Amino acid sequence: MWLAATGNAFDPAGHGMTCRAWLERISEVATARLRQNKASRTPPPVRPVRDRQLCRAVVAELRVTAPALMGASTLPKLVDCLEHVVTGADADLGMRLLLRALKAHSVPVPSGQYRRLLALGWQFGLPPGAVHDGLAISWPPVSTASRYGVNGDFGFSGLARQFTAGWHYRTPREAVAAAVKADGYERPPGSEAAVLLEDIRRLLDPACPMTRSPCCGWRQRTAVTASTGSASAAGSGWSRSPKCARST
């Protein structure tokens, strides 16, 4: 189990220990650290998660990904060991070890299963990053038609918010570069860039009245009344901080 979770990067046997001895060493270090806190000298009680519904849900996801996981791992009993952890030890730990094994072996996870894992993680109290970060998710193509997974403002109006929240700490280009990376945990990478680009194309459409003076709407959204300056978006002001731009 440990070898699967670490991608065979650290084998206790190579350091003269059995897996059980390795776990006992970890326990010794954790206990010593805990005892440094006078209010927590006694370790908290172990409360394994053995809810039948949660166990079945984790096992179901394990079995869905079992063929790909076994194809990527050299450990023949990996899936059986993971299932034993889920059903016999702790479903929460089994869920996290399943995720770690998938990440360590770069097993592709379809977006539909990823969303199920994300929802299952919420039931265990796992933050989205514990599921998402490092997982090889097979995302569908980017689409602007769906707003699934959007939290808060987005697109051009969301970008305007970036510039009202202390944008002077970055150059204009850096602020936009940061905004287009705000895909969150539930959207394919590049989703925010696609939405922003769609908004910009709408505004630059010759049939749009805003095309004649697009900065009017921008100033209203960012509560900026001062001129944006004479430098064009393609000029040097695009990559300069406001302080530098004003000093020229």
Side-chain angles (χ1 to χ4, degrees), residues 93-230:
L93 177 57
M95 169 74 171
R96 286 182 282 120
L97 286 175
L98 168 59
L99 290 169
R100 177 46 50 196
L102 293 172
K103 296 173 183 179
H105 293 87
S106 300
V107 175
V109 176
S111 59
Q113 184 182 20
Y114 164 66
R115 288 174 178 172
R116 293 197 305 270
L117 291 171
L118 201 60
L120 188 54
W122 277 114
Q123 295 186 62
F124 287 111
L126 301 181
V131 179
H132 172 277
D133 296 351
L135 199 63
I137 306 166
S138 299
W139 292 105
V142 169
S143 172
T144 59
S146 173
R147 293 179 179 177
Y148 178 85
V150 174
N151 294 310
D153 208 348
F154 58 93
F156 188 67
S157 54
L159 177 65
R161 179 180 177 277
Q162 290 267 8
F163 279 78
T164 61
W167 76 283
H168 50 279
Y169 292 109
R170 299 184 293 260
T171 65
R173 186 186 185 95
E174 288 172 337
V176 176
V180 298
K181 294 178 181 178
D183 298 312
Y185 293 107
E186 299 181 79
R187 294 192 293 170
S191 293
E192 184 61 25
V195 173
L196 178 58
L197 183 59
E198 184 178 49
D199 283 349
I200 296 300
R201 285 175 171 174
R202 288 168 177 162
L203 293 174
L204 295 180
D205 188 326
C208 176
M210 283 285 292
T211 303
R212 299 178 181 178
S213 185
C215 282
C216 291
W218 174 262
R219 291 181 185 132
Q220 290 176 359
R221 288 166 176 77
T222 59
V224 174
T225 56
S227 172
T228 55
S230 58

